[in-house]
Amino acid sequence: MNPEQKELIRDLFAADGIASGRAAVLAAGGRILRRRRIVRRVGRASLVLVTGLLAVIAVGRLSHHPKPLPAAVASSPASKIQVLTDDELLALFPNTPVALAKIGNKEKLIFPRPGDERRYITHIPAEPDRESALGN
């Protein structure tokens, strides 16, 4: 700061008539600084609230997903598994056209109408290995 600027500042703050002006300048500066401080605090509080809200939404979405049901594991497969005959299997779908087709050494249910399979069959588990099903 050069000497002329120092002298000007000294003259402004030293004069008796300017004392009220100095108080006004200090009061205005205080208001400006107070406003800046409030804006900073509101900004930080908003950031914390938005972060908390996003965390709650994320946890809520994760907890509402239905958990997959565990696969049913029979303790003694021989007592739990019931083998159906072809007629018994076809009787499970009354008034619905359905066919039982042999493909190689496997049998498969065939629904000629497009929506029937989706309506009746929700999940067909993979065929277990014969030895693992018997517990050997």
Side-chain angles (χ1 to χ4, degrees):
M1 184 179 287
N2 64 28
E4 291 177 359
Q5 288 176 338
K6 287 182 183 180
E7 187 177 331
L8 179 61
I9 290 173
R10 194 171 349 139
D11 287 345
L12 285 174
F13 287 120
D16 291 333
I18 309 247
S20 62
R22 180 173 41 176
V25 169
L26 290 175
R31 282 193 302 270
I32 291 170
L33 292 175
R34 195 173 306 114
R35 188 175 304 131
R36 285 182 182 175
R37 185 173 56 239
I38 289 171
V39 168
R40 277 195 315 266
R41 285 183 179 172
V42 167
R44 287 178 188 157
S46 299
L47 182 63
V48 168
L49 288 175
V50 168
T51 304
L53 181 63
L54 289 176
V56 167
I57 290 172
V59 168
R61 285 187 179 198
L62 290 176
S63 65
H64 287 299
H65 287 296
K67 295 181 181 174
L69 297 174
V73 178
S75 57
S76 61
S79 65
K80 301 277 183 174
I81 296 175
Q82 179 184 0
V83 178
L84 298 175
T85 63
D86 294 346
D87 294 331
E88 291 172 334
L89 179 64
L90 294 174
L92 292 174
F93 307 101
N95 300 325
T96 303
V98 64
L100 189 60
K102 251 187 182 177
I103 302 172
N105 61 352
K106 294 186 179 188
E107 295 180 349
K108 180 177 168 92
L109 275 175
I110 298 174
F111 293 91
R113 291 191 296 202
D116 286 343
E117 184 172 3
R118 191 175 29 235
R119 189 172 76 195
Y120 287 112
I121 309 290
T122 56
H123 174 69
I124 299 176
E127 190 173 319
D129 186 15
R130 197 157 174 70
E131 291 183 0
S132 65
L134 297 175
N136 293 338

